[in-house]
Amino acid sequence: KAGSYFMTSPEYPEDLVTPEGRVFSVRSIRFIDGMSVGKYRAVAVRHKSGAMVRRYVHRLVAEITHGHIPKGLEVCHSDGNPLNNAESNLRWDTRAGNHADKSRHGTSAQGERNPMAKLTQSGVAEIRRRVAAGETQRSLCAEFGVSPMTISRAVRGETWSSRNEH
């Protein structure tokens, strides 16, 4: 199975995958480019029941090449590139393992990369400097446009740990 160019699954008998992570449709006799869904690629494939279903390419490749997903695990891209769907780049791991990969690759939404972040790295450094110099946390709220709790968590490193600062 892993040594052949095309691999298939009883779940999706009309669609094949290559070890490089490309999907081939037997119906249309061509490779399927798929569509972008967030940072991933997805394809429409025909399930054995006859229904067309949308599947993430990385999950489809992992299930066909590594077997059904074990309970409590998810597909991880070992190199951190969500478009590299080669079977050699995919593995089952825990959510914690996946998040550890993101931290290692620098792709986690921490600090300024978090779309919900209300502060910047330089703002947090300034807040910490001023609080250390004796300024009250409450006095900084209006200037930085955040709640006292946000200031407090940043000062204590709960939401902006030193590893977020470069």
Side-chain angles (χ1 to χ4, degrees):
K1 197 174 180 183
S4 62
Y5 185 74
F6 288 111
M7 293 165 275
T8 190
S9 156
E11 297 289 311
Y12 306 99
E14 296 181 20
D15 298 284
L16 312 169
V17 299
T18 69
E20 297 76 30
R22 298 193 63 207
V23 181
F24 185 84
S25 169
V26 173
R27 290 178 317 285
S28 58
I29 313 171
R30 66 178 176 84
F31 283 99
I32 306 170
D33 287 329
M35 62 202 96
S36 292
V37 178
K39 61 184 178 178
Y40 301 105
R41 296 296 292 170
V43 291
V45 293
R46 187 176 305 279
H47 187 264
K48 66 183 179 183
S49 67
M52 292 298 290
V53 295
R54 185 172 72 178
R55 294 296 314 271
Y56 285 116
V57 174
H58 64 282
R59 287 190 59 95
L60 183 66
V61 172
E63 286 180 3
I64 289 175
T65 60
H66 301 311
H68 283 286
I69 185 166
K71 186 175 174 73
L73 300 183
E74 51 192 52
V75 181
C76 298
H77 291 83
S78 294
D79 69 355
N81 177 358
L83 299 177
N84 180 358
N85 296 311
E87 80 171 300
S88 60
N89 188 49
L90 304 176
R91 71 178 197 288
W92 301 127
D93 204 343
T94 62
R95 168 128 330 174
N98 203 4
H99 285 286
D101 281 354
K102 291 176 185 181
S103 292
R104 191 174 71 253
H105 299 128
T107 56
S108 65
Q110 293 178 326
E112 292 179 17
R113 289 189 302 266
N114 184 332
M116 300 296 287
K118 305 223 183 319
L119 297 170
T120 63
Q121 291 173 344
S122 61
V124 170
E126 176 69 9
I127 289 167
R128 288 178 179 163
R129 183 189 66 72
R130 289 168 62 179
V131 167
E135 200 165 336
T136 66
Q137 292 181 21
R138 185 166 296 282
S139 68
L140 299 171
C141 294
E143 182 179 340
F144 286 90
V146 295
S147 71
M149 184 59 72
T150 299
I151 297 283
S152 177
R153 287 179 175 158
V155 168
R156 291 191 321 260
E158 286 182 19
T159 54
W160 284 84
S161 68
S162 59
R163 71 175 182 272
N164 296 121
E165 299 174 23
H166 300 285

